[in-house]
């Protein structure tokens, strides 16, 4: 029941540009599938008071942004 305050590290390395091997969508990359999963998880499970800082890594680590909440 408590609000979340999390940091999430998201892989943005070159391997994430590889195509997924699924019968549903052969044009999807690992990155687009992971991103869609993250968006779905936030939409379905985050509460308005939840906070998240999103980081991505490749050659280094970069803060993409923070303070995201689910306004639904």
């Amino acid at each position: 029941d408590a609000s979340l305050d999390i940091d999430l590290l998201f892989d943005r390395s070159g391997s994430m540009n590889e195509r997924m091997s699924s019968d549903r969508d052969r044009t999807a990359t690992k990155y687009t599938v992971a991103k869609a999963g993250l968006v779905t998880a936030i939409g379905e499970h985050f509460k308005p008071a939840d906070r998240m800082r999103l980081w991505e890594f490749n050659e280094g680590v970069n803060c993409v942004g923070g303070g995201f909440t689910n306004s639904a």
Side-chain angles (χ1 to χ4, degrees), residues 8-39:
L8 181 77
L9 184 61
F10 204 77
D11 185 353
R12 194 57 181 111
S13 64
S15 65
M16 294 297 282
N17 293 324
E18 294 174 6
R19 299 281 179 224
M20 292 295 298
S21 58
S22 107
D23 292 333
R24 291 185 299 170
D25 186 358
R26 295 195 182 270
T27 63
T29 64
K30 293 177 181 180
Y31 176 78
T32 58
V33 170
K35 181 179 170 185
L38 178 59
V39 168

Side-chain angles (χ1 to χ4, degrees), residues 2-10 34-56 62-71:
S3 297
L4 296 176
D5 187 3
I6 63 173
D7 286 82
L8 181 77
L9 184 61
F10 204 77
K35 181 179 170 185
L38 178 59
V39 168
T40 298
I42 290 169
E44 292 179 1
H45 300 290
F46 271 44
K47 299 176 189 120
D50 292 342
R51 297 182 54 80
M52 177 180 69
R53 284 161 302 283
L54 181 62
W55 299 78
E56 65 181 9
N62 180 47
C63 183
V64 176
F68 302 108
T69 60
N70 178 9
S71 57

